[in-house]
């Protein structure tokens, strides 16, 4: 161990249940009670954010758990102000644990006179005092290069592979992994390789942002149980349309595994009325009541993986080991049996 200090967790308001679950899992791994640092993150009447930390954090290894999900701007400002508070309180190191990294969809200048917001957010975090970032399934891998500090990008695919092997036991030979667009092929191929399944692609054409002009299935999905894999489900329009196109192409049934369930606007209603048998998302974004009550939406936990990743960062051991099924399986042993 590099020091005698214990890892300390602090949470903003974006996803308190996940932060609490991570602390509980770390308590199990460590054999000692790990709780969230006592602090308040509140608003003045004009909605300015106020942070006060009630515990001594001098010389401590601090981990701020905060997704920059809806409301993205408020949650991002909470993260920045909490970082500033810890830095001014002489924390030894500040790691931002961002299960869902907002603004990641603006990672390049696709048109003239547009921003690269992901780079701006990276600059803000670094200037505020963040010394390391731990996140899950960045929308674009190159965002890691926007930082001049270490970035650990975890992947949901090992968890999804365990979940698929558990829930589709006996039917693995009938599965077909599907990428909903050409840009997501690498992510889908990674999962397909883990469960030894073939890969298909839904090629979509857009006339303008947010509007799909047409879709074509590349690959033979007839009679297959198709599993669509993607990183973000926002309004679910494209996802539900892709499921319809797959069914029209002869698929037996369609399921979806999406890392970040943004689920804005009519998303839940669309998913419930769609031809999809199930939509599986992680808890990187705190699910709304509508999401929790939806009959065909299921949530898989990320707390076991994040807890182990935090412990590995604190102890100076490998984080990339969590990419391997052999490492992750024991962590999720209580949930998924591979026998």
């Amino acid at each position: 161990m590099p020091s005698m200090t214990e890892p300390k967790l602090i949470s903003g308001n974006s996803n308190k249940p996940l932060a609490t679950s991570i602390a509980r899992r770390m308590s199990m791994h460590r054999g000692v009670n790990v709780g969230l640092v006592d602090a308040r993150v509140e608003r003045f009447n004009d909605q300015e954010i106020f942070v006060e930390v009630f515990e001594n954090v001098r010389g401590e290894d601090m981990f701020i758990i905060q997704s920059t999900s809806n409301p993205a701007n408020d949650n991002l400002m909470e993260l920045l102000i909490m970082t500033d508070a810890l830095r001014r309180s002489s924390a030894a190191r500040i790691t931002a644990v961002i299960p869902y990294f907002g603004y990641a969809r603006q990672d390049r200048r696709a048109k003239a006179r547009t921003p690269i917001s992901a780079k701006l957010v990276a600059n803000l975090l670094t200037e505020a005092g963040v010394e390391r970032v731990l996140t899950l399934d960045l929308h674009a891998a190159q965002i890691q290069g926007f930082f001049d500090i270490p970035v650990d990008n975890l992947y949901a695919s090992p968890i999804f592979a365990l979940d698929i092997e558990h829930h589709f036991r006996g039917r693995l030979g009938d599965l077909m992994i599907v990428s909903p667009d050409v840009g997501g092929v690498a992510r889908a191929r990674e999962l397909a390789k883990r469960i030894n399944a073939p890969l298909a692609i839904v090629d979509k054409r857009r006339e303008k942002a947010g509007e799909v002009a047409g879709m074509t299935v590349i690959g033979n999905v007839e009679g297959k149980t198709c599993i669509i894999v993607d990183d973000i489900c926002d309004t679910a329009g494209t996802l539900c349309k892709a499921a319809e196109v797959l069914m029209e192409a002869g698929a037996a049934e369609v399921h979806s595994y999406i890392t970040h369930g943004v689920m804005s606007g009519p998303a839940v209603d669309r998913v419930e009325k769609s031809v999809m048998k199930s939509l599986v998302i992680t808890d990187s974004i705190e699910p709304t009541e509508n999401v929790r009550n939806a009959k065909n939406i299921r949530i898989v936990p990320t707390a076991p993986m994040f807890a182990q990743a935090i412990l590995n960062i604190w102890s100076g051991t490998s984080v990339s080991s969590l990419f391997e099924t052999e490492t992750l399986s024991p962590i999720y042993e209580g949930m998924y049996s591979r026998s």
Side-chain angles (χ1 to χ4, degrees):
M1 303 279 178
S3 67
M4 295 303 292
T5 61
E6 294 288 320
K8 285 201 171 183
L9 310 182
I10 188 170
S11 174
N13 294 314
S14 71
N15 199 340
K16 274 283 180 66
L18 176 58
T20 304
S21 296
I22 291 173
R24 188 181 302 121
R25 289 294 305 204
M26 286 179 65
S27 299
M28 293 170 59
H29 294 332
R30 296 275 297 134
V32 296
N33 182 49
V34 177
L36 298 175
V37 167
D38 188 16
R40 62 171 174 153
V41 183
E42 298 177 349
R43 303 287 190 278
F44 290 118
N45 289 335
D46 63 354
Q47 298 306 300
E48 282 186 10
I49 296 165
F50 174 75
V51 172
E52 184 176 7
V53 181
F54 297 116
E55 297 181 25
N56 179 26
V57 297
R58 183 179 297 274
E60 299 287 357
D61 197 358
M62 299 299 303
F63 294 83
I64 308 174
I65 302 170
Q66 177 82 339
S67 282
T68 51
S69 50
N70 184 38
N73 298 332
D74 285 358
N75 287 330
L76 176 58
M77 280 304 298
E78 279 190 11
L79 175 56
L80 295 172
I81 294 171
M82 290 170 70
T83 301
D84 187 71
L86 294 174
R87 181 171 61 88
R88 294 177 188 277
S89 302
S90 301
R93 180 175 66 173
I94 301 170
T95 300
V97 181
I98 312 174
Y100 172 66
F101 188 94
Y103 286 106
R105 285 174 281 187
Q106 300 176 55
D107 62 325
R108 66 193 186 283
R109 296 191 70 199
K111 297 179 182 177
R113 296 173 296 282
T114 57
I116 305 179
S117 302
K119 172 59 176 170
L120 174 61
V121 171
N123 289 344
L124 289 170
L125 291 169
T126 305
E127 287 300 315
V130 170
E131 296 168 70
R132 191 181 195 103
V133 171
L134 174 64
T135 188
L136 174 67
D137 269 354
L138 280 170
H139 183 64
Q142 68 264 22
I143 293 174
Q144 296 173 79
F146 293 174
F147 290 87
D148 291 323
I149 56 176
V151 177
D152 294 303
N153 183 31
L154 300 176
Y155 299 102
S157 59
I159 306 174
F160 287 165
L162 292 173
D163 192 271
I164 290 169
E165 289 173 349
H166 179 77
H167 283 90
F168 294 90
R169 185 174 296 147
R171 294 194 290 157
L172 293 176
D174 298 328
L175 298 184
M176 170 79 80
I177 300 299
V178 180
S179 172
D181 54 43
V182 175
V185 169
R187 181 180 296 105
R189 185 186 295 120
E190 166 68 17
L191 180 56
K193 187 162 54 171
R194 286 181 183 276
I195 64 172
N196 195 28
L199 177 68
I201 304 168
V202 176
D203 181 37
K204 62 185 177 187
R205 292 179 292 105
R206 292 185 185 273
E207 296 297 335
K208 54 185 178 181
E211 194 172 298
V212 178
M215 288 185 168
T216 305
V217 178
I218 302 174
N220 182 14
V221 300
E222 190 166 351
K224 293 287 188 178
T225 298
C226 290
I227 297 178
I228 302 173
V229 181
D230 208 354
D231 65 323
I232 296 174
C233 178
D234 192 347
T235 61
T238 301
L239 182 65
C240 293
K241 178 63 177 174
E244 290 176 11
V245 170
L246 289 168
M247 291 297 290
E248 290 168 4
E253 55 187 56
V254 179
H255 303 261
S256 294
Y257 279 74
I258 311 293
T259 305
H260 307 296
V262 177
M263 307 304 287
S264 59
V268 175
D269 187 54
R270 281 175 174 169
V271 170
E272 286 191 304
K273 293 178 180 177
S274 75
V275 297
M276 277 189 295
K277 291 280 189 181
S278 69
L279 167 62
V280 178
I281 59 176
T282 75
D283 57 356
S284 63
I285 297 172
E286 184 177 0
T288 63
E289 187 176 350
N290 285 342
V291 170
R292 288 194 298 268
N293 294 335
K295 63 180 186 301
N296 58 344
I297 298 179
R298 188 161 52 82
I299 302 166
V300 297
T302 57
M305 180 170 64
F306 273 113
Q308 189 62 56
I310 290 171
L311 288 171
N312 288 7
I313 290 171
W314 167 70
S315 63
T317 54
S318 171
V319 174
S320 62
S321 63
L322 296 174
F323 303 164
E324 304 300 326
T325 303
E326 291 73 18
T327 307
L328 210 60
S329 292
I331 300 172
Y332 280 85
E333 194 169 21
M335 293 181 57
Y336 304 121
S337 170
R338 306 190 79 203
S339 58

